[in-house]
Amino acid sequence: MHKWSLEKFTYPWEHIVIDNFLPEEIFKILLCSIVNKDFTFSKRRSGNIKINYEDFYKQEVNDFFKQYINETFITEYFSAYRNYSVLESHFTFQTTPCRTSPIHCDNEAKILSLVLYTSPETQIGTTLYDVNKKYFKTIDWIPNRAFIFCPLSDLTYHSYKNETSVFRNTLNFNLSSEV
């Protein structure tokens, strides 16, 4: 069993921060995939470059997420989450050029959102807002830090930005359900 340094927060809404989320050897596999560009990117209208996986193509990464981030994790750590019938897992590798995302709540299909900061060493994390969309705090960017929450409409407002010419790289993992 992998041991985490897990911190749970309840304000402005429930969220979890886990440092050293992936074991070192699995995180290195992920970083090598990024450096080697082992996949094809697609550019979105937002300016982000994303690639989607239902299952991550590196089995070690996929297996780790399936073992630890699942329905049991949701019910153990979160008191509020969207109703769902069946959970599906989805990975998105996101590389963001210099830009700021709008303040938003994740779409209705997402039951759990996890953002894993990967590279570079220095970047801006995720900014959290209260129900009135007023700034509350920014989750510090530390490679291999996971920021996790259960999206709720009109509550879990957040944004992210990159103010440098160096791409902001994250592995995003979602447990989703048809609405």
Side-chain angles (χ1 to χ4, degrees), residues 114-131:
L114 182 151
V115 179
L116 181 67
Y117 305 137
T118 59
S119 62
E121 284 294 319
T122 304
Q123 192 47 268
I124 300 168
T126 306
T127 302
L128 309 187
Y129 302 88
D130 68 16
V131 71

Side-chain angles (χ1 to χ4, degrees), residues 2 4 20-28 64 68 144:
H2 184 64
W4 282 319
N20 300 310
F21 176 75
L22 291 174
E24 188 175 341
E25 64 277 5
I26 296 176
F27 190 64
K28 284 180 182 176
F64 184 86
Y68 294 106
N144 202 15

Side-chain angles (χ1 to χ4, degrees), residues 82-83 107-110 177-179:
R82 294 176 173 149
N83 291 330
N107 74 51
E108 291 288 322
K110 292 181 182 177
S177 183
E178 293 295 321
V179 236

Side-chain angles (χ1 to χ4, degrees), residues 29-154:
I29 289 169
L30 179 62
L31 289 179
C32 285
S33 300
I34 295 166
V35 169
N36 294 334
K37 296 186 173 112
D38 288 342
F39 33 73
T40 305
F41 292 107
S42 62
K43 194 162 188 170
R44 300 275 180 121
R45 277 181 293 149
S46 66
N48 290 337
I49 300 170
K50 296 183 178 184
I51 183 162
N52 294 304
Y53 305 92
E54 184 154 327
D55 288 323
F56 197 74
Y57 73 102
K58 293 291 186 181
Q59 197 61 46
E60 300 89 341
V61 175
N62 195 40
D63 289 347
F64 184 86
F65 276 85
K66 282 186 176 180
Q67 181 177 356
Y68 294 106
I69 307 301
N70 49 39
E71 185 173 24
T72 302
F73 185 89
I74 293 171
T75 58
E76 183 176 337
Y77 290 106
F78 293 95
S79 63
Y81 44 87
R82 294 176 173 149
N83 291 330
Y84 61 91
S85 51
V86 176
L87 291 174
E88 297 176 1
S89 62
H90 299 277
F91 288 95
T92 304
F93 176 74
Q94 183 169 322
T95 185
T96 305
C98 186
R99 71 175 290 270
T100 300
S101 80
I103 298 171
H104 64 283
C105 292
D106 285 359
N107 74 51
E108 291 288 322
K110 292 181 182 177
I111 307 304
L112 178 135
S113 292
L114 182 151
V115 179
L116 181 67
Y117 305 137
T118 59
S119 62
E121 284 294 319
T122 304
Q123 192 47 268
I124 300 168
T126 306
T127 302
L128 309 187
Y129 302 88
D130 68 16
V131 71
N132 298 311
K133 298 184 185 178
K134 295 213 181 330
Y135 173 84
F136 179 71
K137 72 176 181 180
T138 299
I139 306 295
D140 290 334
W141 178 280
I142 297 174
N144 202 15
R145 170 176 275 179
F147 164 59
I148 309 167
F149 65 102
C150 287
L152 297 170
S153 300
D154 299 323

